[in-house]
Amino acid sequence: MKNARVAQLLAGKGDNYILPFMWQHGEDEETLKEYIHVIREAGCRAVCLEARPHPDFAGDGWWHDLDIILAEAKALDMKVWILDDAHFPTGFAAGTVKEAPNELRKQYLNYARLDVCGPKAEVEIPVGEMIHPMILSVNPMLGQPDKKHFDDDTLYHVVAWKVEPMDKMTDPIDLTSLVQDGKLYWKVPEGYWKVYVLYLTHNGVGRDDYINMLDYESCSQQINAVYEPHYAHYKELFGNTIAGFFSDEPLIGNTVGYDFDESIGRKEMMLPWSKYVPDMLKERLGENWMDLLPILWYPSSDPALDAKVRVGYMDTVTRLVERCFSFQLGDWCKDHGVMYIGHLVEDNDVHARLGCSLGHYFRGLAGQHMAGIDNIGNQVLIGGGDSMRPKRFGGVGDGEFYHYELGKLGSSHSHIDPRKGGRALCENFGAYGWETGVKTMKYLADHFLVRGINHYTPHAFSPKAFPDPDCPPHFYAHGENPQYKAFGHLIGYMNRVCHLISDGISLPDVALLYHGESEWAGDYQSDKVLCRELIEHQIDFDIIPSDLLDDMPKFNSELKDGLLWLNGRPVQALIIPYTQFVTLATARFIEAAASAGFPVLVSEKVPEGVSNATTEEQAHFAPVLAAVKTVPTDDMAEALNGLIHRDITVSPDFRRLTVYHYRAGEGDTLLLLNEDPGKAFDGTIAVSTKGTPVIYDALDNLLRPIESKKEGGKMVLSLHIDPLEMTIISFGGEETDALVSFPEQRDAKTLTSFTVSRAESKAYPNFTDPEPIDALTNMARKYPDFSGYYRYETKAELAGKESVLTIDDACETAELFVNGVSAGTRFATPYRFDISGLVKEGENEIAIEVATTLERKVNAMKLGGMMSLSGKGALSATGLIGEVKIG
């Protein structure tokens, strides 16, 4: 096998890419040791300690527990990651911010407004009385019930804007100098005026006991309270047993809750501030920058000015987050021999907004050593790419974003940022509820694997007494979870596929511009729409920020020979989602691309201007932007067909076939996922690659043959891919490879009569209550409260030894035994077993053990509470629910 990564797997030498969460509640030593072993026995060679529930984080109780865990992990040659705070989300700094001086607390810019109609000889405006903290009722689950009141609110600036038709503002007048002893005396000119009283305050609706992400000294509290104490206790383990720290959803936090709508200029909200902001805004907006601040909430009569102000502010905020928070923590970790990982909140494109996220996906995670995303609480759902649905904490989830943009954000960042080293992490499976088993997890893993995510934090192992209501499923649950055994098989599968798509390069066709700055500037189109268009036409891509176009050497990128090289990988075109204004870096790139013959396509219509340019630059780039080729969104894939050499083409058209082409050393790997839950793909796939193709079966860790031919400079593969099935092709086959053909099922017999018995997880394999059945049916109809194992036993007469057994569907995982020997475990469609080496001529004993989820057992407990963040769904069937055929 010329593909070295496959050869390593076949020899059992793959690396570890899985680091599941393990909740910490202060359990006893025996339980902590048991759970470290349970995690290792599931195939995970690392663990991430979720500190959030622990009663004494960074205190004596924490160090006591960590001593036990680290010693056990070291003995088992496991790596330990540590979630970096006492509370969710990261930024609490283990509670130390509560005692910090005001200058290290969050600060906000807020305003009060009074409207005046002139002309008037003079008006008196009580400016001092207009400065007051915003007081709102706060959900105690999301907010802070014991908020401190600060008494240092400060008048910052007073400016009047004249109102024109359509409520647009113009002609600002600075009134600050007219304020005397808290009162403004003003001779009002003709017209209708909005008078803005701008002030700085520490009294916000967000939590005041969290660090200020825009302040370097404030962010250093996170290091002083969490990182340094861990280093002081375990210096000798840093870089070996201790792998690094995990930041979980750090946020700017100028609002409270998870509405996902904190888009600048579109929502009434207090705005984050720090001592660094004024000089940066002055540099971006000019001497009169303070007069322009109201545009952060209300539009002026000049859309170009609005774009300049809002982009200038958001650029300032996100650059400060990048420097003060992300790089400060990441550089500390690098200097201490460990890695810094985690993710921010991405939902519904909030990654480019304030509130519960960090304002800019790429900048917010710039200091980390892996790209990061999360998928929890029913974000990605089988077949759910078109749905808007209830989401965690009462929000609404955007299925199109989750299915088409989320995964590509993470993999793209890992591809283009040298600091990431090709590593992309997804926190997965959490808060999907007890109804979620390995069958669903297999799809959720495949969904992100085929989008290039190669590290995972499964969510979660909880050593708390069963049933812990905190964001299930819990994979072991003190032995109560029947899915645990199959979960280990899933981890083995995931580790093998991750190994195939690591330490190499992806092979994208095009680049797609990140829409963050476009959203700040004005009208825009979300990346998700074009992500979908490209994914559904098997055109691979990376999402790139305009920062890359502004500083290509930083990203090891260049425009050369008619191609854009992204950290060593060429793409053949840049696609820009519709935007009213582009950044100056993007405008310059468009101009350079035209000279280099590199295609740039904009969806729908050309931009109106440049968001952060001078008047002279606006004039210069106006004809450049006017000349850009525009394409309707739905025609983008077709337009690319005439401009680029497609890496992969599919026949017939199959929009739910998702592809990922990866190259590590001499061996190419192709991942193909059929994301249609009901329709199989039967057709051909043409790939631009060299080498002999073979199927790599990552479930059984072996090679299988594939029908292929060379045609038109491409390798053409003939494939059948079942619904929700992943097929993996390695283009490194050799004549000496041992290929295992899967036999065809001939003269199949349908098995209908079984003896069925049951065993709860802790009682397995002691099955009881055997009963005969003549037809397969949903066993929950008879045992609605049962969770555990069903064992189906029968006998089958077979004429020959080459045989296959198939199960149309099961709930959930199925292990097959033939004549007392296991033929393997399957936990998702297709449930297909090659039993040729186990059968004999004549009568054969067949047993199928089906493991359910814990859904029905927990449901019968009538516990209530937040058993998941996704709400209550329809109860699943249990047992064998599809035909069983053998032959």
Side-chain angles (χ1 to χ4, degrees):
M1 167 55 63
K2 291 181 180 178
N3 187 325
R5 307 296 284 184
V6 174
Q8 291 162 4
L9 292 173
L10 294 173
K13 296 180 179 179
D15 291 332
N16 179 70
Y17 304 86
I18 314 295
L19 43 140
F21 277 151
M22 176 185 169
W23 287 166
Q24 297 299 308
H25 310 91
E27 280 80 13
D28 60 69
E29 180 174 352
E30 181 181 354
T31 301
L32 293 175
K33 287 182 175 180
E34 176 195 6
Y35 261 74
I36 292 296
H37 280 263
V38 163
I39 291 168
R40 181 63 186 89
E41 288 165 5
C44 309
R45 286 171 272 166
V47 62
C48 186
L49 305 181
E50 164 61 278
R52 169 171 59 83
H54 198 281
D56 192 25
F57 178 74
D60 291 342
W62 175 256
W63 305 127
H64 170 269
D65 293 352
L66 203 51
D67 286 347
I68 296 167
I69 290 168
L70 289 170
E72 207 67 18
K74 184 176 181 180
L76 294 173
D77 195 25
M78 293 175 66
K79 302 295 184 186
V80 176
W81 299 81
I82 301 168
L83 200 138
D84 65 354
D85 219 330
H87 286 175
F88 162 89
T90 290
F92 185 60
T96 58
V97 182
K98 290 181 179 181
E99 308 303 324
N102 288 4
E103 59 266 24
L104 297 183
R105 310 290 281 264
K106 285 184 179 180
Q107 189 178 34
Y108 308 95
L109 175 70
N110 201 15
Y111 76 94
R113 195 187 94 192
L114 186 148
D115 292 6
V116 181
C117 184
K120 278 187 172 62
E122 186 175 84
V123 295
E124 176 184 323
I125 300 176
V127 169
E129 297 177 13
M130 296 172 69
I131 300 174
H132 56 82
M134 184 177 292
I135 301 174
L136 294 177
S137 60
V138 175
N139 181 342
M141 180 179 172
L142 305 176
Q144 178 189 356
D146 58 343
K147 287 177 69 65
K148 176 181 177 179
H149 174 73
F150 298 86
D151 57 6
D152 59 349
D153 295 345
T154 305
L155 177 67
Y156 199 56
H157 194 66
V158 181
V159 60
W161 280 78
K162 189 175 183 179
V163 179
E164 291 196 338
M166 305 300 293
D167 201 34
K168 300 296 178 68
M169 305 186 304
T170 189
D171 301 331
I173 301 175
D174 182 356
L175 303 178
T176 310
S177 64
L178 302 180
V179 177
Q180 300 176 18
D181 299 324
K183 295 182 179 180
L184 168 65
Y185 299 94
W186 181 38
K187 181 179 179 180
V188 184
E190 182 180 354
Y192 191 87
W193 297 83
K194 295 180 178 181
V195 180
Y196 291 89
V197 178
L198 297 148
Y199 62 95
L200 299 181
T201 181
H202 292 97
N203 293 298
V205 298
R207 297 192 59 152
D208 63 57
D209 53 356
Y210 269 66
I211 59 176
N212 183 352
M213 292 289 177
L214 281 62
D215 186 275
Y216 194 89
E217 291 77 13
S218 182
C219 290
S220 69
Q221 295 175 100
Q222 190 73 29
I223 292 174
N224 296 335
V226 178
Y227 289 56
E228 289 286 3
H230 281 84
Y231 187 70
H233 277 81
Y234 305 111
K235 177 179 180 179
E236 72 283 357
L237 298 180
F238 269 54
N240 43 79
T241 301
I242 295 179
F245 291 93
F246 185 114
S247 277
D248 195 15
E249 300 189 0
L251 75 172
I252 289 173
N254 59 304
T255 61
V256 66
Y258 293 84
D259 294 329
F260 311 139
D261 63 353
E262 292 84 0
S263 185
I264 191 68
R266 295 178 173 89
K267 181 168 183 172
E268 187 75 18
M269 56 185 169
M270 305 176 78
L271 297 176
W273 202 260
S274 78
K275 59 180 177 287
Y276 304 113
V277 173
D279 287 344
M280 295 176 72
L281 284 182
K282 182 177 179 180
E283 179 183 355
R284 287 160 172 77
L285 304 180
E287 291 294 333
N288 71 329
W289 67 273
M290 297 179 78
D291 292 343
L292 304 177
L293 291 175
I295 292 175
L296 297 175
W297 291 279
Y298 290 96
S300 75
S301 58
D302 182 359
L305 179 61
D306 295 350
K308 182 176 182 178
V309 172
R310 293 170 181 177
V311 169
Y313 172 76
M314 287 298 294
D315 184 61
T316 295
V317 167
T318 55
R319 286 299 185 194
L320 286 172
V321 170
E322 180 182 52
R323 175 168 64 90
C324 299
F325 177 73
S326 192
F327 270 123
Q328 184 176 186
L329 270 62
D331 288 346
W332 186 95
C333 287
K334 180 182 177 182
D335 293 343
H336 290 76
V338 294
M339 297 176 70
Y340 176 49
I341 64 173
H343 71 95
L344 48 73
V345 177
E346 313 92 0
D347 303 61
N348 299 15
D349 280 332
V350 75
H351 54 79
R353 300 169 190 158
L354 302 172
C356 63
S357 198
L358 291 178
H360 190 288
Y361 175 79
F362 294 92
R363 295 178 188 174
L365 300 181
Q368 297 196 351
H369 299 99
M370 296 185 191
I373 57 172
D374 81 332
N375 173 57
I376 70 165
N378 283 9
Q379 292 179 196
V380 172
L381 293 174
I382 294 173
D386 295 312
S387 69
M388 299 294 290
R389 49 186 176 267
K391 187 61 179 62
R392 53 184 177 176
F393 304 122
V396 175
D398 181 350
E400 189 172 39
F401 165 76
Y402 296 132
H403 278 250
Y404 297 103
E405 183 182 349
L406 177 59
K408 296 301 288 186
L409 273 174
S411 63
S412 297
H413 200 187
S414 76
H415 296 157
I416 66 174
D417 182 2
R419 187 180 182 104
K420 304 296 182 282
R423 297 177 292 264
L425 174 76
C426 178
E427 178 189 328
N428 210 358
F429 312 146
Y432 269 73
W434 291 110
E435 66 270 26
T436 302
V438 174
K439 183 179 187 178
T440 300
M441 293 177 199
K442 166 69 161 54
Y443 170 73
L444 297 178
D446 284 343
H447 173 93
F448 289 104
L449 286 164
V450 80
R451 286 159 174 80
I453 305 296
N454 55 13
H455 289 74
Y456 291 86
T457 296
H459 180 310
F461 283 92
S462 175
K464 194 173 183 178
F466 171 79
D468 182 0
D470 191 347
C471 303
H474 300 135
F475 309 128
Y476 182 63
H478 289 279
E480 296 278 359
N481 197 336
Q483 295 284 299
Y484 170 71
K485 188 176 175 183
F487 179 77
H489 290 289
L490 174 66
I491 295 301
Y493 167 83
M494 291 171 64
N495 258 327
R496 286 188 284 272
V497 182
C498 287
H499 192 72
L500 290 178
I501 57 173
S502 296
D503 296 330
I505 59 171
S506 64
L507 300 172
D509 293 305
V510 299
L512 177 64
L513 187 68
Y514 179 60
H515 76 245
E517 290 87 343
S518 300
E519 177 177 340
W520 306 341
D523 291 341
Y524 76 104
Q525 181 183 49
S526 168
D527 285 332
K528 68 180 182 181
V529 181
L530 283 158
C531 288
R532 179 173 193 159
E533 171 73 0
L534 297 173
I535 287 173
E536 290 188 340
H537 289 88
Q538 295 80 44
I539 300 173
D540 198 14
F541 60 95
D542 276 332
I543 302 170
I544 65 170
S546 65
D547 293 350
L548 182 147
L549 304 178
D550 189 42
D551 188 358
M552 289 201 190
K554 175 182 175 181
F555 292 90
N556 188 32
S557 300
E558 61 180 334
L559 185 60
K560 180 181 177 182
D561 300 329
L563 298 170
L564 174 57
W565 292 80
L566 303 175
N567 195 20
R569 299 160 309 119
V571 295
Q572 302 170 64
L574 172 65
I575 299 171
I576 301 177
Y578 165 68
T579 175
Q580 191 175 4
F581 297 94
V582 296
T583 64
L584 184 58
T586 302
R588 286 171 174 161
F589 179 83
I590 292 171
E591 184 177 42
S595 298
F598 178 78
V600 176
L601 285 70
V602 177
S603 65
E604 304 304 334
K605 57 184 178 180
V606 298
E608 294 178 17
V610 182
S611 60
N612 55 338
T614 65
T615 302
E616 292 77 14
E617 288 168 333
Q618 292 279 14
H620 172 78
F621 286 111
V624 174
L625 298 180
V628 173
K629 180 179 177 63
T630 60
V631 179
T633 300
D634 293 343
D635 296 337
M636 189 62 72
E638 184 62 31
L640 287 170
N641 285 338
L643 288 175
I644 67 171
H645 175 76
R646 291 275 300 274
D647 179 48
I648 296 169
T649 53
V650 172
S651 180
D653 177 67
F654 199 91
R655 292 206 166 205
R656 290 196 173 180
L657 183 68
T658 308
V659 303
Y660 185 60
H661 191 180
Y662 196 83
R663 179 170 294 155
E666 296 183 15
D668 281 16
T669 297
L670 180 65
L671 272 57
L672 304 160
L673 176 63
N674 179 1
E675 300 200 64
D676 194 304
K679 183 180 179 182
F681 170 79
D682 280 288
T684 60
I685 298 170
V687 189
S688 300
T689 189
K690 299 177 181 178
T692 301
V694 295
I695 292 175
Y696 173 67
D697 185 335
L699 287 170
D700 292 332
N701 194 27
L702 50 79
L703 303 177
R704 301 191 187 278
I706 184 173
E707 182 183 340
S708 64
K709 62 181 178 180
K710 271 286 192 181
E711 188 176 280
K714 286 190 172 185
M715 184 66 69
V716 180
L717 313 172
S718 298
L719 282 168
H720 170 91
I721 307 176
D722 278 317
L724 305 182
E725 182 181 14
M726 172 93 91
T727 296
I728 301 172
I729 312 297
S730 170
F731 294 92
E734 296 183 296
E735 291 184 5
T736 55
D737 290 336
L739 304 184
V740 180
S741 298
F742 210 101
E744 291 186 22
Q745 198 172 48
R746 296 186 177 90
D747 301 322
K749 304 173 184 177
T750 300
L751 304 179
T752 57
S753 297
F754 294 88
T755 297
V756 183
S757 52
R758 298 180 297 144
E760 289 201 354
S761 182
K762 283 190 169 183
Y764 179 86
N766 298 316
F767 289 89
T768 61
D769 303 323
E771 58 182 298
I773 61 171
D774 293 325
L776 294 174
T777 186
N778 174 15
M779 295 300 293
R781 288 173 174 261
K782 185 169 184 179
Y783 303 106
D785 299 335
F786 177 77
S787 292
Y789 292 85
Y790 289 102
R791 182 177 173 91
Y792 295 77
E793 297 177 89
T794 190
K795 298 184 188 318
E797 290 282 341
L798 297 173
K801 289 193 173 183
E802 191 172 273
S803 298
V804 173
L805 185 141
T806 59
I807 303 169
D808 282 352
D809 203 359
C811 287
E812 286 246 340
T813 66
E815 183 174 9
L816 172 65
F817 296 86
V818 178
N819 297 318
V821 179
S822 175
T825 298
R826 293 290 180 265
F827 36 79
T829 54
Y831 292 86
R832 187 170 57 221
F833 302 84
D834 180 358
I835 57 176
S836 300
L838 301 177
V839 299
K840 60 187 179 182
E841 291 189 16
E843 186 177 80
N844 290 264
E845 295 180 355
I846 305 297
I848 304 169
E849 293 180 356
V850 179
T852 74
T853 69
L854 277 167
E855 172 189 21
R856 288 186 172 271
K857 181 172 184 174
V858 174
N859 184 67
M861 294 179 177
K862 308 296 183 186
L863 299 172
M866 192 180 69
M867 300 305 290
S868 78
L869 298 182
S870 55
K872 187 68 179 172
L875 292 175
S876 306
T878 59
L880 292 175
I881 56 173
E883 285 191 340
V884 178
K885 295 181 179 180
I886 191 169

